[in-house]
Amino acid sequence: MVRGGGAVLRKYGSFIDDLRLYVRGGTGGMGYPRLGGEGGRGGDVWFVAQERTTLKSVKDRYPQKRFVAGAGANSSVRALKGEKGKDCEVHVPLGISVLCEDGKQIGELNTAGEKCLVARGGLGGSLATNFLPCKGQRRIVHLDLKLIADIGLVGFPNAGKSSLLSKVSHAKPQIADYAFTTIKPELGKIMYADYKQVDISGFQLSVKTRFRTAFETILLLTKELELYKEELLAKPALLAINKMDLPSSKDNLNELMKQLQNPQVFQYAVSDFLHLLREEVVPESTIKFKDIIPVSTYTGEGIEELKTCIRKSLDEEAEKENKDYRKKKLLLLRTSDKKQMSTA
């Protein structure tokens, strides 16, 4: 990612999540020395959160990416106190962080109609300034769209998370043959044929665990998630079994499937493994997986199937949320109708 010349930092197709802008408050108006008149203050530059606005629409509408407020009116015989310059209001998306060029945060805009002052207008000329106007504040700012991933990629170090992320999305994480390679959480974007976009983020877990089987890994990951945020266990989950290109991987997969799908074998496997753990690291419950997909980031095996399962799971959850929303709306309407009937 490279900054420069007002360029966009991160871009996926037509999607933009960071935009660099120039803003300047208006210059104040001239004072009137002979009568002690004060010039009007320069206008301010405001960012205003608006629904159905994107950073791309801001960039397309204002290709110069420059926003300057109006100058204050000069003091005169007819109006000793000059009028304030016209403010400049720029509509921006919800969920925006406004940052200075040095990375310091100016403010956040999370709800429709919320405003953030990004450049103040200059003072008008007065006795204090020898009746000379002041220039408005000028600065370079960044609009940074805060992203919440649709999918969390969870796994221990060296499990192939970064490799998998690079295969299914546009992300380019640093990958090397180290025991611990994830330098920071990576965010990628899966692009589907119908232009649906899905954000996917890496989630790094503890490195302090001995060598383990796939089944043991699932139990330990479950406990990690339980300790981090217990409600994550209730989220829909897919299980991607990586490194299927390695020798004996199919035998190991068959053994794991037996442990996960057969209740008796599963309980036996749990009890057989849990005695090796301290009581405080034993998971309270296990995760139920919607799908189990064998993959290899080396050969590409199972990658397209995994992307299809991700999309299917997200669509099902969205439909479920829509049904729940419609039920709540219907219940509210019925309750409202009953109240109206009782007061009639």
Side-chain angles (χ1 to χ4, degrees):
M1 298 182 293
V2 181
R3 294 178 186 261
V8 173
L9 284 186
R10 297 177 291 276
K11 188 171 181 179
Y12 307 99
S14 61
F15 178 81
I16 296 171
D17 68 357
D18 186 279
L19 193 62
R20 182 176 181 265
L21 306 173
Y22 172 84
V23 294
R24 191 182 79 201
T27 302
M30 289 287 294
Y32 201 111
R34 187 160 60 87
L35 299 177
E38 294 184 5
R41 181 172 185 145
D44 304 316
V45 180
W46 296 83
F47 288 160
V48 184
Q50 184 181 59
E51 294 180 343
R52 299 183 181 180
T53 299
T54 66
L55 290 183
K56 184 177 185 301
S57 67
V58 175
K59 179 176 178 289
D60 291 344
R61 187 174 180 182
Y62 307 101
Q64 299 300 319
K65 297 185 284 293
R66 292 172 59 90
F67 301 94
V68 181
N74 295 334
S75 174
S76 65
V77 174
R78 292 183 178 181
L80 290 180
K81 176 64 176 178
E83 291 187 1
K84 184 178 184 293
K86 185 178 180 180
D87 287 347
C88 174
E89 292 193 353
V90 186
H91 291 133
V92 298
L94 277 63
I96 283 288
S97 290
V98 185
L99 308 174
C100 294
E101 185 76 341
D102 60 5
K104 292 182 180 179
Q105 183 169 296
I106 300 171
E108 290 187 348
L109 297 167
N110 297 312
T111 58
E114 195 171 359
K115 300 175 70 174
C116 176
L117 177 62
V118 291
R120 291 184 178 276
L123 295 174
S126 64
L127 181 62
T129 64
N130 200 24
F131 298 98
L132 296 175
C134 298
K135 293 182 178 181
Q137 185 180 21
R138 62 178 68 192
R139 65 201 329 181
I140 300 293
V141 298
H142 284 266
L143 298 182
D144 189 48
L145 183 61
K146 295 176 290 184
L147 297 175
I148 301 176
D150 301 285
I151 300 292
L153 186 59
V154 183
F156 286 106
N158 208 30
K161 296 185 304 303
S162 295
S163 298
L164 181 59
L165 187 62
S166 68
K167 287 289 185 180
V168 301
S169 74
H170 289 70
K172 301 298 179 186
Q174 296 184 33
I175 301 171
D177 189 19
Y178 306 141
F180 181 76
T181 60
T182 303
I183 297 173
K184 63 179 180 178
E186 293 284 345
L187 184 71
K189 187 169 292 294
I190 305 176
M191 307 291 288
Y192 289 94
D194 61 354
Y195 302 104
K196 167 74 173 179
Q197 300 179 3
V198 174
D199 296 323
I200 180 167
S201 178
F203 189 108
Q204 184 64 63
L205 296 178
S206 173
V207 69
K208 298 177 181 178
T209 311
R210 65 175 182 82
F211 175 79
R212 57 203 167 266
T213 66
F215 182 75
E216 294 169 347
T217 297
I218 292 170
L219 292 178
L220 288 169
L221 287 176
T222 301
K223 187 61 183 181
E224 289 268 8
L225 288 174
E226 185 179 278
L227 293 172
Y228 177 76
K229 189 176 291 186
E230 193 171 356
E231 54 263 36
L232 289 176
L233 298 180
K235 299 282 186 182
L238 305 174
L239 178 62
I241 309 296
N242 192 22
K243 304 188 179 181
M244 288 303 298
D245 52 284
L246 296 180
S248 72
S249 59
K250 286 183 171 53
D251 292 337
N252 293 335
L253 176 63
N254 291 334
E255 180 65 23
L256 175 64
M257 296 299 287
K258 289 177 183 179
Q259 294 170 329
L260 292 175
Q261 294 176 351
N262 187 314
Q264 292 182 343
V265 175
F266 177 79
Q267 291 299 329
Y268 173 77
V270 172
S271 60
D272 186 52
F273 172 63
L274 292 186
H275 76 278
L276 300 174
L277 299 176
R278 300 190 307 276
E279 185 177 350
E280 62 267 23
V281 295
V282 175
E284 296 291 333
S285 60
T286 53
I287 296 178
K288 293 183 180 179
F289 298 103
K290 297 184 70 172
D291 289 292
I292 300 174
I293 309 100
V295 301
S296 168
T297 56
Y298 180 73
T299 65
E301 174 189 347
I303 298 299
E304 289 304 316
E305 182 184 354
L306 175 60
K307 291 166 69 174
T308 300
C309 289
I310 289 173
R311 175 65 185 274
K312 179 183 175 184
S313 179
L314 287 174
D315 288 346
E316 289 175 352
E317 287 302 305
E319 180 60 26
K320 181 181 176 182
E321 288 180 4
N322 287 336
K323 285 182 179 179
D324 291 341
Y325 176 76
R326 287 195 292 268
K327 286 180 181 179
K328 289 179 181 178
K329 292 286 286 184
L330 184 60
L331 181 61
L332 287 172
L333 286 172
R334 287 175 178 173
T335 305
S336 177
D337 290 341
K338 287 181 179 179
K339 287 182 178 179
Q340 290 180 1
M341 291 176 65
S342 63
T343 57

